[in-house]
Amino acid sequence: VEKNVLVVTTVEPLTNGGGRGQFGSAIMSFRIALLLLLQASCTLGHVALTYPRAAYPQYDFLDNVRTGGPCGLAMGQPTSRDTLVANTEVTVTFHLAYAHRGGFAFDLLSCNGTTQLVDLTNGVVPNVSSTTTEWTLTLPSNTCDCCYFRLRREAREWTGPAAWGGRYIFWSCAPVQILLAATDSCDGTNCSGHGTCQGGACTCSGMWYGKYCQYEDACRNDSDCNGHGQCIDLQSTSPPAHQCFCEAGWHGPLCSKKSTLTNAMFNEDDYPGYIKAKDNLEYFYQFDSDNNELEVAIKYSGGEEWVGFGFRPSGTDGSCRATSPGFYPPSASQVTPEGEGEGEGEGETNAEGEGETNAEGEGETTAEGEGETNAEGEGETNAEGEGENNAEGEAGTGSLHAMDCTDMVISKVKGNLHRILDHYTRGRSTPQEDEWYGGQQNIVAAVGQRVDGVTYIRFRKPARSSDKFDHSITNSIVNVIWAHGQVIGQYMPTIPPPAAGVDKSSFKKDFYQAQELKYHGSIGRGSTSTNLVNPASQGTDQCSFQILDSRQTVLYSARWGPSQGDSQKILFELEATSAANTWVGIGFSDNRRMPESDIVTAAISSSNVVRVADRWASMTSRPAVDDDESQVQDWSVNVRNGKIYATFKRTVATSDSMDLSLDQPRYFLFAWGPLRTDGDIIYHGSNKYISDERISATLCAAMSERSSGGGGGDSDVDEIWGIAVAVVVVVLGAILAVVYYIYSRQKFQYTKQCEGEDDQPFGMTQKEKVSV
């Protein structure tokens, strides 16, 4: 195992130095950008202090990629802080939504964050479990009226910014004051301001609990649920420990609101909108124009895991992040990566590969920031955009992750009880109830129940809201994300077990609980695009696909069928809205996932350079170009009137392992997006869709080519030839018109002369008249 040395500087984030070995080089070589389908998808947060309590807002996805150091939030005099006593032991606790590899470290920073006061753990804590969520340490003799207690948690399986040497670090800071001596018999904590100290023990008020009343619950007993629900123990590893689950006919955080929806069972045919997220997870929706409300129904044939549904208007840009509390971009950082310390043999990770990226491949992103998830929600490569270097921009602008600025509804069902609430997420942090941001619950009715092992959920949301943490629902395309909790015993990715020599006492085998809102896993999330008001504006059949905006403008369309005269080839015609430097693509899959998919992309740059590529996606990242591209033939690409048009032929049967034969039904993937400066494709964002059912392309009607192919060169050839033909037609038409005019005039004059009294006009004989 390679060891590194921690060098203490003014403020030192964790590092892993050069101890990544050959696998580290392999990771760097795999920095490939995302292409096709999903999502985004959806990602829950990761690390945040729970005691001492992290500074508001308590986001749990503050990292050295998207936020400025040393804490990810602006620092200074806090409005409230926890009280600690010098020279005493304190058990620090923190929320962990993902079992990361690597170690952690604690230190104390000055109130403005520019100076490290004390290194509390002497560098990185070695030999810890990936599921550790608490640590006991001794406070120094130093006192302070305002200082910050900082946690830095490694994510050794992911790659961070190049400026940080590829080190990926989460940070969370809690404002504290450290007194020289206790002022009460409860270790000087003043019961965290949420209780009274009596006889050396805290008596907590309201929903607060813990030795020092440091944790807040959602309910303490059934009476908190207003007689219409039960206070359920979530078996969680982090607060809250209990939440109200409501009876049918009631909903809300404390089951205090009446619901017009009282039966969770529903008739699927009543809902014109449909999203097949997975074989065991389906979403149905309809828009009630009379009440101006959206109703969503969910059917989940899984366990009691939580289920999520979220949406964001298409076209939303990265500036939305800056309007949420706590925006602190990397440009505001008070930490200079250069000159930072070297990490020391962290946790169970080692140079031989304990810390290598897992099969889902988190963190292999690029400077382009293409880290969003794909539409199927499968595979973990770049799923959360981990490691993209400043992908979100210095001013909050830039590409959006599927979870960024998303209005969400999180549903939990246990038997005949439910908890269905309005949530919002600024980014990759755990979605929080709207009240957490200063908003309000905007669900007007909700119900859920489990019947014969199937979870049924229904809820209604108004189309209009004055709450900035709720999106309006309009007749337009929205980006939709979905997710469900991890199934106990089927975690993806798997929880790294303790390595040899690692303390196993804190290892939590059941780290994810069904009702605890934590990371959904690589197979438990996805995204797509749809129109929630008018689902008929998009759709696919066995031979075509299209998606329209609210003005019925075609955003993307595709049609296919056997090539006329050659049934062993399928002719494809693609169309998509276009800007300069654009690609359009279509793919074929057996699993509705991007990995293991056969994909064809057609691209055209602003300088009219064309590239049609046959690709194979082995993971959720930019698909590699096949060694053999002979299966794609007779292609043509051009741009006209703000749209990109592409046609090509694809052989039906193939023995190429990097192509899927089309002589059997496949799921179809559709997407389009921009190009990099070098002409290669970039992540499509929300411009993607997957067919709900398998498609048999060979059963479609034969198609003839609308435009000539030829596989070549200039994308404007078709357009130039069209213009040339038009000019020739116009010129020939003009000539014919002139000839006809002259002929008509002459015929008129000769006819008059022939019919006149003069038998020989102009000296013409009778024979000449007849000839005329």
Side-chain angles (χ1 to χ4, degrees):
V1 178
E2 295 184 25
K3 298 266 186 180
N4 300 312
V5 180
L6 180 70
V7 179
V8 180
T9 56
T10 304
V11 179
E12 82 295 1
L14 295 181
T15 78
N16 50 27
R20 299 297 292 260
Q22 293 180 348
F23 196 86
S25 299
I27 289 177
M28 297 299 287
S29 69
F30 265 81
R31 285 188 170 182
I32 46 184
L34 282 180
L35 164 65
L36 241 144
L37 300 152
L38 172 192
Q39 143 249 24
S41 61
C42 175
T43 296
L44 296 186
H46 293 235
V47 182
L49 284 165
T50 53
Y51 184 74
R53 190 173 175 85
Y56 177 82
Q58 293 92 10
Y59 295 125
D60 55 11
F61 205 107
L62 302 177
D63 58 9
N64 64 337
V65 175
R66 301 165 187 82
T67 64
C71 291
L73 295 169
M75 302 172 68
Q77 285 290 341
T79 56
S80 63
R81 54 191 180 274
D82 286 311
T83 301
L84 306 174
V85 178
N87 292 313
T88 62
E89 279 194 348
V90 59
T91 298
V92 180
T93 58
F94 49 93
H95 165 74
L96 187 64
Y98 185 111
H100 286 291
R101 297 180 184 270
F104 53 74
F106 296 102
D107 59 3
L108 283 174
L109 306 179
S110 61
C111 194
N112 61 9
T114 58
T115 305
Q116 183 192 52
L117 303 177
V118 182
D119 180 354
L120 296 171
T121 50
N122 235 3
V124 177
V125 176
N127 300 326
V128 295
S129 164
S130 60
T131 62
T132 296
T133 55
E134 65 178 49
W135 196 255
T136 300
L137 49 81
T138 301
L139 294 173
S141 58
N142 308 57
T143 63
C144 66
D145 180 62
C146 171
C147 50
Y148 278 81
F149 189 100
R150 181 173 64 157
L151 160 67
R152 290 164 294 156
R153 181 64 163 87
E154 287 186 311
R156 286 289 298 269
E157 66 273 34
W158 295 343
T159 303
W164 290 75
R167 309 186 302 270
Y168 199 107
I169 301 163
F170 288 101
W171 37 40
S172 179
C173 294
V176 298
Q177 63 174 349
I178 300 179
L179 305 180
L180 186 60
T183 57
D184 60 30
S185 58
C186 296
D187 299 330
T189 62
N190 192 32
C191 298
S192 304
H194 306 300
T196 57
C197 182
Q198 299 174 350
C202 288
T203 300
C204 302
S205 58
M207 301 294 182
W208 295 89
Y209 71 102
K211 181 179 180 180
Y212 304 126
C213 306
Q214 70 270 44
Y215 306 123
E216 187 176 17
D217 232 337
C219 63
R220 298 300 297 154
N221 51 60
D222 290 350
S223 63
D224 294 326
C225 304
N226 288 290
H228 303 300
Q230 296 178 23
C231 187
I232 300 295
D233 185 352
L234 303 179
Q235 301 294 314
S236 61
T237 59
S238 300
H242 302 82
Q243 291 178 334
C244 285
F245 282 59
C246 306
E247 301 169 350
W250 297 86
H251 71 110
L254 299 175
C255 306
S256 59
K257 299 180 178 181
K258 285 189 175 182
S259 171
T260 56
L261 296 175
T262 57
N263 185 3
M265 305 291 287
F266 57 90
N267 183 353
E268 297 177 3
D269 294 335
D270 292 341
Y271 297 84
Y274 175 71
I275 297 172
K276 183 177 181 179
K278 301 172 61 178
D279 288 341
N280 67 343
L281 178 58
E282 299 171 282
Y283 293 82
F284 306 84
Y285 58 94
Q286 63 177 343
F287 189 79
D288 181 354
S289 57
D290 293 335
N291 295 302
N292 208 26
E293 293 174 352
L294 172 72
E295 181 175 323
V296 176
I298 305 171
K299 181 180 178 181
Y300 176 51
S301 304
E304 291 188 338
E305 297 82 35
W306 58 265
V307 178
F309 174 86
F311 68 96
R312 179 186 68 217
S314 179
T316 305
D317 63 37
S319 61
C320 65
R321 287 184 292 255
T323 62
S324 298
F327 178 66
Y328 197 70
S331 60
S333 180
Q334 299 180 57
V335 172
T336 303
E338 294 78 5
E340 292 298 334
E342 303 279 335
E344 169 196 22
E346 294 84 347
E348 67 268 31
T349 317
N350 63 42
E352 277 72 34
E354 282 295 333
E356 68 259 29
T357 306
N358 54 35
E360 289 74 35
E362 273 84 337
E364 309 314 313
T365 55
T366 68
E368 287 86 10
E370 295 123 11
E372 284 68 44
T373 49
N374 63 29
E376 318 90 285
E378 311 301 350
E380 262 323 90
T381 303
N382 296 342
E384 295 142 82
E386 271 43 316
E388 70 237 33
N389 297 327
N390 204 16
E392 294 167 1
E394 294 295 311
T397 57
S399 61
L400 287 178
H401 181 273
M403 283 185 67
D404 288 345
C405 309
T406 297
D407 186 1
M408 302 183 70
V409 175
I410 304 296
S411 303
K412 302 178 181 181
V413 177
K414 196 170 183 65
N416 290 325
L417 302 174
H418 66 271
R419 182 179 178 86
I420 303 172
L421 296 179
D422 204 2
H423 288 64
Y424 183 82
T425 173
R426 181 196 70 166
R428 296 153 178 79
S429 289
T430 300
Q432 299 290 344
E433 296 169 18
D434 283 13
E435 296 92 333
W436 190 86
Y437 290 94
Q440 59 186 4
Q441 285 295 312
N442 201 35
I443 294 177
V444 296
V447 64
Q449 65 184 122
R450 281 182 60 78
V451 179
D452 297 330
V454 178
T455 298
Y456 296 92
I457 298 164
R458 294 171 67 197
F459 63 84
R460 294 175 72 96
K461 281 179 66 75
R464 295 286 185 271
S465 173
S466 58
D467 189 343
K468 72 175 183 177
F469 303 109
D470 285 296
H471 294 310
S472 293
I473 302 169
T474 62
N475 184 18
S476 60
I477 298 299
V478 296
N479 305 325
V480 171
I481 62 174
W482 58 265
H484 65 75
Q486 298 228 37
V487 180
I488 293 179
Q490 301 178 23
Y491 304 143
M492 288 295 292
T494 56
I495 300 175
V502 172
D503 176 20
K504 297 177 174 60
S505 61
S506 62
F507 181 73
K508 302 176 180 66
K509 183 178 180 181
D510 291 337
F511 177 72
Y512 300 101
Q513 291 294 324
Q515 304 292 353
E516 185 178 13
L517 198 54
K518 281 188 176 181
Y519 179 61
H520 39 61
S522 60
I523 60 174
R525 50 91 165 108
S527 73
T528 187
S529 299
T530 191
N531 186 319
L532 295 173
V533 174
N534 180 22
S537 65
Q538 67 176 50
T540 183
D541 56 32
Q542 283 292 309
C543 304
S544 66
F545 167 80
Q546 70 172 2
I547 183 169
L548 310 176
D549 64 13
S550 60
R551 296 177 297 277
Q552 302 302 298
T553 301
V554 175
L555 298 178
Y556 177 102
S557 72
R559 71 186 194 108
W560 51 86
S563 178
Q564 197 167 53
D566 189 354
S567 61
Q568 295 307 305
K569 295 179 182 178
I570 302 294
L571 175 62
F572 290 89
E573 294 182 349
L574 311 181
E575 170 190 339
T577 55
S578 169
N581 299 307
T582 303
W583 65 267
V584 63
I586 192 167
F588 320 107
S589 167
D590 276 330
N591 53 23
R592 297 193 78 245
R593 301 172 52 192
M594 183 175 174
E596 308 304 317
S597 292
D598 181 10
I599 296 167
V600 178
T601 61
I604 179 171
S605 70
S606 56
S607 56
N608 292 327
V609 175
V610 170
R611 176 72 170 100
V612 175
D614 188 6
R615 300 172 180 265
W616 178 258
S618 59
M619 59 181 69
T620 316
S621 56
R622 182 187 296 113
V625 177
D626 294 359
D627 292 333
D628 179 7
E629 296 187 77
S630 62
Q631 310 299 325
V632 177
Q633 305 166 6
D634 301 333
W635 54 262
S636 174
V637 185
N638 60 74
V639 171
R640 296 191 304 271
N641 302 321
K643 290 185 178 295
I644 180 174
Y645 298 88
T647 64
F648 64 89
K649 293 178 182 177
R650 162 64 204 277
T651 54
V652 174
T654 174
S655 59
D656 189 341
S657 62
M658 295 296 130
D659 288 301
L660 294 178
S661 293
L662 297 179
D663 53 3
Q664 55 183 294
R666 309 285 187 185
Y667 293 107
F668 276 31
L669 319 177
F670 312 98
W672 72 101
L675 297 179
R676 298 196 313 189
T677 54
D678 64 0
D680 207 349
I681 59 178
I682 295 179
Y683 174 62
H684 47 67
S686 61
N687 301 328
K688 73 290 178 92
Y689 197 86
I690 310 173
S691 65
D692 292 324
E693 306 296 338
R694 292 177 180 269
I695 292 172
S696 298
T698 55
L699 300 182
C700 297
M703 291 174 54
S704 59
E705 298 179 65
R706 291 179 175 176
S707 58
S708 61
D714 196 334
S715 64
D716 286 332
V717 168
D718 291 342
E719 190 167 358
I720 292 173
W721 273 110
I723 293 173
V725 170
V727 170
V728 170
V729 169
V730 170
V731 171
L732 289 176
I735 293 173
L736 288 173
V738 171
V739 171
Y740 180 76
Y741 173 77
I742 295 173
Y743 165 75
S744 299
R745 291 287 298 173
Q746 291 299 317
K747 179 179 179 180
F748 174 75
Q749 292 177 6
Y750 285 134
T751 300
K752 285 192 66 176
Q753 293 169 358
C754 289
E755 295 174 351
E757 296 178 355
D758 186 356
D759 289 339
Q760 292 183 327
F762 302 104
M764 295 177 68
T765 65
Q766 183 63 30
K767 183 179 180 179
E768 289 173 331
K769 292 180 183 180
V770 173
S771 297
V772 172

